[in-house]
Amino acid sequence: MASPKLKELQEKLDAKRKALAQVFEEAGPDLDMDQVKSLDGDSHAKVEAIRQMNAELDDLAKQVEELWEIEKAASDVEKVGRLLDDPAGRLPTAAAGAEQKSFGDLFIESGAHKAKGKTFEVDIDVKTLMTTTAGWAPEVIRTDRVVDYATRPIQVIDLIPSVPTGQSAVAYMEETTFTNAAAETAEAGTYPEAALALTEKSSPVRKISVFLPVTDEQLEDEPRVRAYINNRLPFMLRQRLDSQILNGDGIAPNLTGILNTSGIQTQAKGADPTPDAVHKAMTLVRTTGWAQVTAALFNSADWEEIRLLRTADGIYIWGSPSESGPMRIWGVPVILADALPAGTGLVGDFANFTELAIRRGVEVKVSDSHGTYFVEGKQAIRADIRVAFTVYRPAAFATVTGI
């Protein structure tokens, strides 16, 4: 229902519209101002009066529109309130002074919500179902866990004794001639002459490096990214070094790995069971290299074949499937080294006849001076390590081939 003020304005607006309509009706289709009797003055005065009437009409129309909007808004609020407290006008009016209860309160108190198999209708027209796709999607906070890419772990480095060095190469002397002429000698007899000869050997320091381009925004906006990179780049270096210790071909800038070191021994499996061939390789290390085997390295696939060995009647040699089984062979610790080529095992005295000399440990640096990185807002994060790897007695190692 319109308010008295709105009614008053509406009546004035209707009167102005009627008066202006009468002027145009008197003027006729040719707008002859001489025919207009409801206005005084000449044509100029009458036109001016028409303009004034039109301005007043516009002002009244705006006031009516504004008041209509205000009253409509108030009416909507009132309707929403009635809908929440008494949808469809079905609830009884509370007595004077009594507590006013909402539709939801009365519904729960009535026990109707406990009735199974019954349908209750509420006259509310819902145009759009509020869902996570059409409404407000739930906020999800990411955890701080980063799942690393599945890649070969560090498996060999920890076997190798390490020492620091301040040189560009590790130089040492190797006894290449040993003639022991020691013998029992009679009184006044001539002493037998021995022979010794030394040869200088050298293992050059090599560099292993890697770099990663990163934008300024990534480093600024994510506080954990720097720690993540500082962890992964050194891992990449150590993983590569782990492989070089075994497989490096010695051609600069590569290290010389054990498998490519001149003088290591080889035992072919042939028709032997694999454990027998491994034992024969250990014997070569003990009797030719005069060293003690400290570890036996196998590719995971090769060790699986050994672990699953069974007798002709199906009994597992190294223990039943219900047991974890030994990670030793002939009493020697087994190290899974997946950088080893499949089909080749390696036994040797890693503790006494290998050495990793570290000229400089892992170093990480950041710069924007690489290429056009400065004007592109990028950073080059680089990491490197400088080391020398030495096999002091090649005969202290033996491969087992044909596994």
Side-chain angles (χ1 to χ4, degrees):
M1 183 179 293
S3 66
K5 178 64 175 178
L6 180 59
K7 287 183 178 180
E8 179 185 352
L9 289 175
Q10 187 66 58
E11 290 174 357
K12 289 183 178 180
L13 179 61
D14 292 340
K16 288 288 184 185
R17 285 173 176 165
K18 186 176 181 180
L20 187 58
Q22 182 180 349
V23 170
F24 283 98
E25 184 179 351
E26 292 175 354
D30 296 331
L31 296 179
D32 185 359
M33 292 296 104
D34 293 338
Q35 302 297 322
V36 176
K37 305 301 181 183
S38 57
L39 296 178
D40 298 329
D42 57 15
S43 295
H44 293 287
K46 292 178 180 180
V47 169
E48 185 62 29
I50 292 173
R51 292 174 180 172
Q52 182 64 32
M53 293 173 66
N54 192 60
E56 292 174 356
L57 191 151
D58 287 346
D59 183 60
L60 280 172
K62 290 178 181 179
Q63 292 182 51
V64 169
E65 289 171 2
E66 291 175 358
L67 196 54
W68 263 116
E69 290 295 331
I70 293 173
E71 294 196 8
K72 182 178 181 300
S75 176
D76 289 344
V77 171
E78 183 180 356
K79 287 179 181 179
V80 170
R82 287 201 307 271
L83 181 61
L84 293 177
D85 290 333
D86 184 9
R90 295 173 182 168
L91 300 182
T93 304
E99 179 184 359
Q100 192 75 23
K101 295 183 179 181
S102 69
F103 172 77
D105 292 335
L106 293 172
F107 178 74
I108 295 298
E109 291 176 3
S110 69
H113 67 291
K114 298 179 181 178
K116 296 182 179 178
K118 295 184 178 180
T119 302
F120 300 92
E121 296 183 358
V122 179
D123 295 338
I124 301 177
D125 185 16
V126 180
K127 297 298 185 181
T128 303
L129 178 63
M130 194 72 166
T131 66
T132 54
T133 55
W136 200 308
E139 182 180 13
V140 177
I141 305 300
R142 186 175 62 235
T143 70
D144 60 355
R145 178 170 180 173
V146 175
V147 180
D148 293 337
Y149 186 83
T151 186
R152 180 176 59 83
I154 309 302
Q155 297 172 307
V156 181
I157 291 177
D158 291 340
L159 284 176
I160 313 300
S162 61
V163 296
T165 182
Q167 305 295 315
S168 61
V170 174
Y172 59 96
M173 302 303 294
E174 180 182 349
E175 190 178 64
T176 52
T177 298
F178 177 83
T179 303
N180 184 1
E184 298 72 26
T185 305
E187 184 180 355
T190 303
Y191 283 44
E193 181 181 348
L196 294 173
L198 301 176
T199 301
E200 183 179 284
K201 299 285 186 176
S202 178
S203 295
V205 169
R206 303 297 195 193
K207 179 169 65 177
I208 300 175
S209 63
V210 68
F211 100 97
L212 180 73
V214 185
T215 64
D216 294 342
E217 290 82 357
Q218 178 72 169
L219 291 172
E220 292 169 0
D221 297 344
E222 177 48 64
R224 292 173 296 183
V225 72
R226 188 177 295 272
Y228 167 71
I229 294 172
N230 285 343
N231 174 271
R232 295 307 277 168
L233 291 186
F235 172 81
M236 292 177 183
L237 299 179
R238 287 171 56 80
Q239 187 186 61
R240 180 62 180 177
L241 176 58
D242 199 67
S243 175
Q244 283 276 293
I245 287 172
L246 295 175
N247 302 306
D249 61 14
I251 301 173
N254 292 289
L255 300 171
T256 301
I258 297 174
L259 296 182
N260 290 305
T261 297
S262 177
I264 66 170
Q265 304 186 80
T266 298
Q267 175 64 48
K269 176 182 179 294
D272 291 332
T274 301
D276 289 17
V278 173
H279 192 280
K280 290 179 179 181
M282 291 179 176
T283 300
L284 289 176
V285 171
R286 294 189 186 103
T287 60
T288 303
W290 298 106
Q292 296 298 315
V293 177
T294 59
L297 276 59
F298 298 96
N299 184 284
S300 292
D302 295 334
W303 176 248
E304 181 181 72
E305 291 185 10
I306 298 172
R307 177 63 182 85
L308 298 180
L309 285 174
R310 290 183 291 176
T311 64
D313 53 354
I315 300 174
Y316 286 95
I317 300 294
W318 306 106
S320 71
S322 63
E323 302 171 358
S324 62
M327 285 299 290
R328 286 179 173 269
I329 188 167
W330 303 114
V332 173
V334 170
I335 305 299
L336 298 181
D338 292 307
L340 270 177
T344 299
L346 176 66
V347 298
D349 193 340
F350 295 87
N352 296 302
F353 295 106
T354 61
E355 184 179 81
L356 185 66
I358 301 174
R359 177 65 178 87
R360 187 183 71 240
V362 175
E363 187 174 74
V364 179
K365 293 183 177 180
V366 182
S367 174
D368 61 4
S369 59
H370 173 68
T372 57
Y373 276 23
F374 179 77
V375 296
E376 294 172 351
K378 299 178 183 177
Q379 300 285 338
I381 302 180
R382 78 176 202 187
D384 62 7
I385 185 173
R386 296 184 66 205
V387 298
F389 176 67
T390 306
V391 177
Y392 286 112
R393 184 180 293 178
F397 296 87
T399 57
V400 182
T401 60
I403 298 176

